[in-house]
Structure formats: structure tokens, C-alpha cells
Amino acid sequence: MSEPVIESMAEVRSHLADVIDRAHRDETPTIITRRGKQEAVVIDIQEYQRLREIAENAEEAWLNQLADEAESEGTEGSVSLEEMAVLLRTHQS
């Protein structure tokens, strides 16, 4: 992937097809600015899908790690939902 090109919203509007072609053909992303602030990026759809898959895999791995940690802590000292409801009702009385 090439270094990104930075263009204003007005510039991109005037040649959007070229921006898309550059993202696809040259694998060059375009960072779009508005009032000098970076707002969005145009990248090739395959690159987007690759990045999305990486993010989903990382999220899944993180959730699995949390589940493994919770499982390894065991149930000592925990209470069931029903027990918690009783405790809350008792505390409110």
C-alpha cells in the first residue's frame, strides 16, 4: 500500500472517480479533509474487507480471553441471579 494522498473535500468532489481508481488500481488511500480536519479515508474495498476481518478476529480473540479468564476464576463467592434478587429485596426492606 502506498502512502496516502491528502485532499480536501472540494478536491475529491471534482475527481471522485480518479480517487476511487487510485485506491483500487494503485492501492493508494486518500485521506479527505474538511476545514483542515481529517474526516474520512477512501480505500479499496478488498483492503476494507481485510481490515474488517482483522478487527473482527481481534474482537473475537479478546472476548474468548475474557471468557477464559472468567472461567478460570471459578464460581467461588458468586451468587445465582435468584440469590441476587433475594439479597436486593432484603436490602431494600
Side-chain angles (χ1 to χ4, degrees), residues 3-90:
E3 287 296 311
V5 173
I6 300 174
E7 294 185 343
S8 70
M9 181 88 69
E11 292 169 324
V12 170
R13 272 193 204 116
S14 69
H15 66 102
L16 181 59
D18 294 333
V19 170
I20 293 170
D21 288 343
R22 182 172 54 213
H24 179 69
R25 182 186 59 244
D26 302 333
E27 297 181 350
T28 301
T30 299
I31 297 173
I32 302 171
T33 63
R34 182 172 23 193
R35 296 183 193 102
K37 182 180 174 198
Q38 295 181 352
E39 294 283 335
V41 179
V42 176
I43 59 174
D44 180 63
I45 189 67
Q46 290 176 337
E47 180 65 6
Y48 168 77
Q49 291 167 337
R50 186 185 74 81
L51 294 171
R52 178 87 187 225
E53 185 177 337
I54 289 170
E56 288 172 359
N57 290 340
E59 182 179 23
E60 185 176 329
W62 177 70
L63 291 173
N64 286 336
Q65 180 183 354
L66 287 178
D68 291 345
E69 289 172 4
E71 187 177 316
S72 70
E73 290 176 4
T75 57
E76 186 177 327
S78 65
V79 295
S80 70
L81 190 56
E82 292 82 14
E83 292 170 318
M84 181 59 73
V86 169
L87 288 170
L88 287 171
R89 279 193 294 260
T90 304

